[in-house]
Amino acid sequence: MQYALYYWTGIQGRGEFVRLALEDAGADYVDMARVHGDAVMQPFLDGHSEGAQPFAPPFLKAGRQVIAQVAAILDFLGPTLDLVPQAASRRMQALQLQLTIADLVAEVHDTHHPIAASKYYEDQKTEARARAAAMRDERLPKFLGYFEQVLKANGGRHPLREHSYVDLSLFQLMSGLDYMFPRRMQALWPTLTLLRALKDRVEQRPSIAAYLASERRLPFNTNGIFRHYPELDGEK
Protein backbone atom coordinates (compact mmCIF):
# COMPACT_ATOMS: atom_id res chain seq x y z
CA MET A 1 0.00 0.00 0.00
CA GLN A 2 1.13 3.53 -0.72
CA TYR A 3 0.57 5.94 2.16
CA ALA A 4 -0.04 9.66 1.84
CA LEU A 5 1.45 11.80 4.61
CA TYR A 6 0.13 15.31 5.11
CA TYR A 7 2.18 17.85 7.02
CA TRP A 8 3.30 21.45 6.58
CA THR A 9 6.22 22.10 4.23
CA GLY A 10 9.38 23.57 5.69
CA ILE A 11 8.48 22.75 9.30
CA GLN A 12 10.47 20.27 11.38
CA GLY A 13 7.66 19.33 13.72
CA ARG A 14 5.30 16.54 14.73
CA GLY A 15 5.17 15.11 11.23
CA GLU A 16 8.77 13.99 11.62
CA PHE A 17 7.76 11.33 14.15
CA VAL A 18 5.60 9.71 11.46
CA ARG A 19 8.13 10.25 8.70
CA LEU A 20 10.83 8.43 10.67
CA ALA A 21 8.63 5.35 11.02
CA LEU A 22 7.83 5.30 7.30
CA GLU A 23 11.49 5.77 6.39
CA ASP A 24 12.75 3.15 8.84
CA ALA A 25 10.35 0.56 7.45
CA GLY A 26 11.07 1.44 3.82
CA ALA A 27 7.37 2.14 3.31
CA ASP A 28 5.99 3.47 0.04
CA TYR A 29 4.69 6.94 0.86
CA VAL A 30 4.19 10.37 -0.65
CA ASP A 31 4.84 13.54 1.32
CA MET A 32 1.80 15.26 -0.13
CA ALA A 33 2.38 18.89 0.83
CA ARG A 34 5.99 18.75 -0.33
CA VAL A 35 4.80 17.53 -3.72
CA HIS A 36 1.59 19.52 -4.12
CA GLY A 37 1.89 22.38 -1.63
CA ASP A 38 0.19 23.00 1.71
CA ALA A 39 -3.16 23.72 0.04
CA VAL A 40 -3.55 19.99 -0.65
CA MET A 41 -4.44 19.54 3.03
CA GLN A 42 -7.30 22.03 3.13
CA PRO A 43 -10.13 19.81 1.80
CA PHE A 44 -9.40 17.34 4.59
CA LEU A 45 -9.25 20.06 7.25
CA ASP A 46 -12.55 21.49 5.95
CA GLY A 47 -14.24 18.08 6.03
CA HIS A 48 -14.68 17.91 2.27
CA SER A 49 -12.74 14.68 1.69
CA GLU A 50 -13.58 11.08 2.45
CA GLY A 51 -12.47 9.67 5.76
CA ALA A 52 -12.48 11.11 9.27
CA GLN A 53 -11.94 14.88 9.42
CA PRO A 54 -8.59 15.73 11.05
CA PHE A 55 -8.24 18.75 13.32
CA ALA A 56 -4.70 19.52 12.13
CA PRO A 57 -1.73 17.87 10.44
CA PRO A 58 0.02 15.53 10.57
CA PHE A 59 -2.47 13.06 9.23
CA LEU A 60 -2.11 9.96 7.11
CA LYS A 61 -4.29 8.60 4.32
CA ALA A 62 -4.21 4.83 3.87
CA GLY A 63 -6.72 3.72 1.27
CA ARG A 64 -9.95 5.36 2.34
CA GLN A 65 -8.86 5.77 5.94
CA VAL A 66 -7.66 9.09 7.31
CA ILE A 67 -5.82 8.92 10.63
CA ALA A 68 -4.74 11.98 12.58
CA GLN A 69 -2.65 12.51 15.74
CA VAL A 70 0.90 11.15 15.85
CA ALA A 71 0.25 8.46 18.45
CA ALA A 72 -2.82 7.18 16.60
CA ILE A 73 -0.96 7.15 13.28
CA LEU A 74 1.94 5.16 14.75
CA ASP A 75 -0.44 2.77 16.49
CA PHE A 76 -2.10 2.21 13.12
CA LEU A 77 1.16 1.78 11.19
CA GLY A 78 3.03 -0.24 13.81
CA PRO A 79 1.67 -3.74 13.11
CA THR A 80 1.80 -3.38 9.32
CA LEU A 81 5.32 -1.95 9.28
CA ASP A 82 6.55 -4.41 11.94
CA LEU A 83 7.33 -1.54 14.27
CA VAL A 84 5.46 -2.79 17.33
CA PRO A 85 5.17 -6.17 19.06
CA GLN A 86 2.09 -8.13 18.03
CA ALA A 87 0.78 -8.80 21.56
CA ALA A 88 -2.07 -6.45 22.46
CA SER A 89 -0.50 -5.68 25.84
CA ARG A 90 2.80 -4.67 24.23
CA ARG A 91 1.03 -2.59 21.62
CA MET A 92 -0.78 -0.78 24.43
CA GLN A 93 2.53 -0.21 26.18
CA ALA A 94 3.94 1.33 23.00
CA LEU A 95 0.94 3.63 22.69
CA GLN A 96 1.27 4.67 26.33
CA LEU A 97 4.93 5.58 25.83
CA GLN A 98 4.15 7.45 22.60
CA LEU A 99 1.46 9.48 24.35
CA THR A 100 3.94 10.34 27.10
CA ILE A 101 6.36 11.53 24.42
CA ALA A 102 3.51 13.62 23.01
CA ASP A 103 2.97 15.18 26.44
CA LEU A 104 6.60 16.29 26.55
CA VAL A 105 6.49 17.56 22.96
CA ALA A 106 3.48 19.71 23.87
CA GLU A 107 5.39 21.15 26.83
CA VAL A 108 8.39 21.80 24.57
CA HIS A 109 6.19 23.83 22.23
CA ASP A 110 4.69 25.77 25.12
CA THR A 111 8.19 26.65 26.32
CA HIS A 112 8.68 29.10 23.45
CA HIS A 113 4.96 29.90 23.08
CA PRO A 114 3.69 30.01 26.68
CA ILE A 115 0.96 32.61 26.10
CA ALA A 116 -0.51 31.79 22.70
CA ALA A 117 0.51 29.83 19.62
CA SER A 118 -0.90 32.66 17.50
CA LYS A 119 1.59 35.20 18.89
CA TYR A 120 5.19 35.53 17.77
CA TYR A 121 7.89 34.32 20.12
CA GLU A 122 9.17 37.89 20.33
CA ASP A 123 5.84 38.93 21.87
CA GLN A 124 6.17 36.51 24.78
CA LYS A 125 9.91 36.30 25.45
CA THR A 126 9.67 37.27 29.12
CA GLU A 127 7.12 34.55 29.84
CA ALA A 128 9.10 32.09 27.72
CA ARG A 129 12.22 32.65 29.82
CA ALA A 130 10.33 31.72 32.98
CA ARG A 131 8.73 28.70 31.32
CA ALA A 132 12.09 27.56 29.94
CA ALA A 133 13.70 27.68 33.38
CA ALA A 134 11.04 25.32 34.71
CA MET A 135 11.47 23.09 31.67
CA ARG A 136 15.24 22.87 32.11
CA ASP A 137 15.23 22.41 35.88
CA GLU A 138 12.10 20.35 36.51
CA ARG A 139 10.32 18.90 33.51
CA LEU A 140 13.22 17.58 31.43
CA PRO A 141 14.79 15.59 34.30
CA LYS A 142 11.36 14.21 35.23
CA PHE A 143 10.36 13.07 31.72
CA LEU A 144 13.79 11.90 30.57
CA GLY A 145 14.46 10.17 33.86
CA TYR A 146 11.24 8.23 33.34
CA PHE A 147 12.27 7.07 29.86
CA GLU A 148 15.70 6.11 31.19
CA GLN A 149 13.99 3.99 33.86
CA VAL A 150 11.77 2.32 31.25
CA LEU A 151 14.83 1.37 29.21
CA LYS A 152 16.62 -0.01 32.26
CA ALA A 153 13.58 -2.08 33.27
CA ASN A 154 13.38 -3.64 29.80
CA GLY A 155 16.96 -4.72 29.28
CA GLY A 156 18.61 -1.39 28.47
CA ARG A 157 18.40 -1.34 24.68
CA HIS A 158 14.75 -0.88 23.76
CA PRO A 159 11.76 0.34 25.77
CA LEU A 160 9.76 -2.64 24.47
CA ARG A 161 12.72 -5.09 24.48
CA GLU A 162 12.76 -4.98 20.68
CA HIS A 163 12.97 -2.28 18.03
CA SER A 164 9.75 -0.31 17.65
CA TYR A 165 8.39 3.05 16.62
CA VAL A 166 8.97 4.18 20.21
CA ASP A 167 12.75 3.90 19.64
CA LEU A 168 12.39 6.14 16.59
CA SER A 169 10.29 8.67 18.47
CA LEU A 170 12.75 8.78 21.36
CA PHE A 171 15.52 9.39 18.81
CA GLN A 172 13.59 12.35 17.39
CA LEU A 173 12.80 13.65 20.86
CA MET A 174 16.40 13.47 22.05
CA SER A 175 17.73 14.97 18.82
CA GLY A 176 15.30 17.86 19.10
CA LEU A 177 16.12 18.52 22.74
CA ASP A 178 19.85 18.40 21.96
CA TYR A 179 19.26 21.12 19.36
CA MET A 180 16.94 23.21 21.52
CA PHE A 181 18.81 23.00 24.84
CA PRO A 182 22.44 22.11 24.01
CA ARG A 183 23.83 23.47 27.31
CA ARG A 184 21.21 21.80 29.47
CA MET A 185 21.42 18.49 27.61
CA GLN A 186 25.19 18.46 27.94
CA ALA A 187 24.66 18.48 31.71
CA LEU A 188 21.91 15.84 31.57
CA TRP A 189 23.52 13.34 29.18
CA PRO A 190 25.72 11.68 31.88
CA THR A 191 22.53 10.70 33.72
CA LEU A 192 20.88 9.40 30.53
CA THR A 193 23.38 6.83 29.29
CA LEU A 194 20.75 4.39 27.99
CA LEU A 195 18.84 7.08 26.11
CA ARG A 196 22.08 8.36 24.62
CA ALA A 197 23.02 4.86 23.44
CA LEU A 198 19.54 4.34 21.96
CA LYS A 199 19.80 7.64 20.08
CA ASP A 200 23.17 6.60 18.65
CA ARG A 201 21.88 3.15 17.60
CA VAL A 202 18.84 4.55 15.81
CA GLU A 203 21.00 7.10 14.03
CA GLN A 204 23.15 4.26 12.70
CA ARG A 205 20.30 2.14 11.35
CA PRO A 206 20.94 1.96 7.57
CA SER A 207 17.55 3.30 6.50
CA ILE A 208 17.63 6.08 9.08
CA ALA A 209 21.22 7.02 8.29
CA ALA A 210 20.31 7.27 4.60
CA TYR A 211 17.27 9.39 5.42
CA LEU A 212 19.21 11.74 7.70
CA ALA A 213 21.75 12.29 4.92
CA SER A 214 19.05 13.02 2.34
CA GLU A 215 17.24 16.22 1.41
CA ARG A 216 14.04 14.71 2.78
CA ARG A 217 15.27 15.30 6.34
CA LEU A 218 14.70 18.95 7.19
CA PRO A 219 17.17 20.50 9.62
CA PHE A 220 15.88 21.74 12.95
CA ASN A 221 14.93 25.40 12.70
CA THR A 222 12.91 28.15 14.37
CA ASN A 223 9.70 27.18 12.56
CA GLY A 224 9.17 23.86 14.26
CA ILE A 225 8.62 22.36 17.69
CA PHE A 226 12.26 22.25 18.76
CA ARG A 227 13.66 25.79 18.50
CA HIS A 228 17.02 26.96 19.72
CA TYR A 229 16.88 30.36 21.35
CA PRO A 230 20.07 30.81 23.43
CA GLU A 231 18.25 32.76 26.13
CA LEU A 232 15.91 29.80 26.73
CA ASP A 233 18.91 27.54 27.29
CA GLY A 234 20.01 29.70 30.21
CA GLU A 235 22.41 31.91 28.30
CA LYS A 236 22.45 35.60 29.21
Side-chain angles (χ1 to χ4, degrees), residues 93-109:
Q93 184 182 4
L95 180 57
Q96 172 188 315
L97 290 168
Q98 189 65 43
L99 287 167
T100 306
I101 291 170
D103 287 342
L104 177 52
V105 170
E107 291 197 27
V108 165
H109 172 271

Side-chain angles (χ1 to χ4, degrees), residues 5-61:
L5 174 64
Y6 294 79
Y7 193 67
W8 306 112
T9 57
I11 294 181
Q12 227 277 22
R14 291 179 175 89
E16 196 63 21
F17 290 93
V18 180
R19 199 174 283 116
L20 281 168
L22 294 167
E23 291 282 347
D24 184 70
D28 182 12
Y29 79 100
V30 178
D31 221 320
M32 296 298 288
R34 291 186 181 180
V35 175
H36 303 288
D38 288 347
V40 74
M41 297 185 287
Q42 204 59 49
F44 294 90
L45 300 175
D46 292 340
H48 297 156
S49 295
E50 66 176 358
Q53 181 180 356
F55 176 72
F59 55 91
L60 185 84
K61 192 169 189 296

Side-chain angles (χ1 to χ4, degrees), residues 4-236:
L5 174 64
Y6 294 79
Y7 193 67
W8 306 112
T9 57
I11 294 181
Q12 227 277 22
R14 291 179 175 89
E16 196 63 21
F17 290 93
V18 180
R19 199 174 283 116
L20 281 168
L22 294 167
E23 291 282 347
D24 184 70
D28 182 12
Y29 79 100
V30 178
D31 221 320
M32 296 298 288
R34 291 186 181 180
V35 175
H36 303 288
D38 288 347
V40 74
M41 297 185 287
Q42 204 59 49
F44 294 90
L45 300 175
D46 292 340
H48 297 156
S49 295
E50 66 176 358
Q53 181 180 356
F55 176 72
F59 55 91
L60 185 84
K61 192 169 189 296
R64 294 185 176 181
Q65 281 191 281
V66 177
I67 307 100
Q69 299 288 352
V70 170
I73 295 169
L74 294 175
D75 183 59
F76 170 80
L77 288 173
T80 303
L81 300 184
D82 197 24
L83 284 175
V84 71
Q86 293 299 317
S89 61
R90 304 291 276 167
R91 183 172 171 180
M92 180 58 66
Q93 184 182 4
L95 180 57
Q96 172 188 315
L97 290 168
Q98 189 65 43
L99 287 167
T100 306
I101 291 170
D103 287 342
L104 177 52
V105 170
E107 291 197 27
V108 165
H109 172 271
D110 291 348
T111 299
H112 49 75
H113 278 73
I115 303 300
S118 58
K119 293 181 179 292
Y120 289 111
Y121 165 69
E122 288 72 19
D123 297 327
Q124 46 196 318
K125 289 179 71 171
T126 299
E127 296 83 359
R129 280 179 180 268
R131 185 68 179 261
M135 173 63 82
R136 296 192 309 268
D137 298 340
E138 302 170 17
R139 304 304 285 167
L140 284 182
K142 185 177 181 67
F143 272 102
L144 300 182
Y146 165 74
F147 291 124
E148 185 79 3
Q149 289 176 356
V150 169
L151 279 168
K152 185 177 181 179
N154 287 280
R157 291 182 60 85
H158 308 286
L160 298 176
R161 294 186 177 272
E162 61 185 81
H163 179 67
S164 72
Y165 66 74
V166 180
D167 298 56
L168 301 169
S169 291
L170 285 173
F171 163 78
Q172 175 66 8
L173 177 67
M174 302 308 292
S175 298
L177 290 174
D178 213 18
Y179 171 79
M180 186 172 182
F181 298 113
R183 294 176 74 248
R184 182 58 177 138
M185 290 305 296
Q186 184 177 16
L188 285 175
W189 279 127
T191 69
L192 304 170
T193 56
L194 298 179
L195 278 171
R196 184 61 181 264
L198 181 147
K199 177 180 177 294
D200 292 344
R201 284 195 302 274
V202 170
E203 195 168 31
Q204 293 166 13
R205 289 177 65 83
S207 55
I208 295 299
Y211 169 60
L212 296 177
S214 75
E215 294 182 354
R216 299 189 305 282
R217 171 71 170 189
L218 293 177
F220 290 104
N221 55 60
T222 53
N223 291 320
I225 298 292
F226 301 99
R227 304 184 181 192
H228 176 60
Y229 297 117
E231 61 272 20
L232 299 189
D233 197 21
E235 296 184 30
K236 297 181 180 180

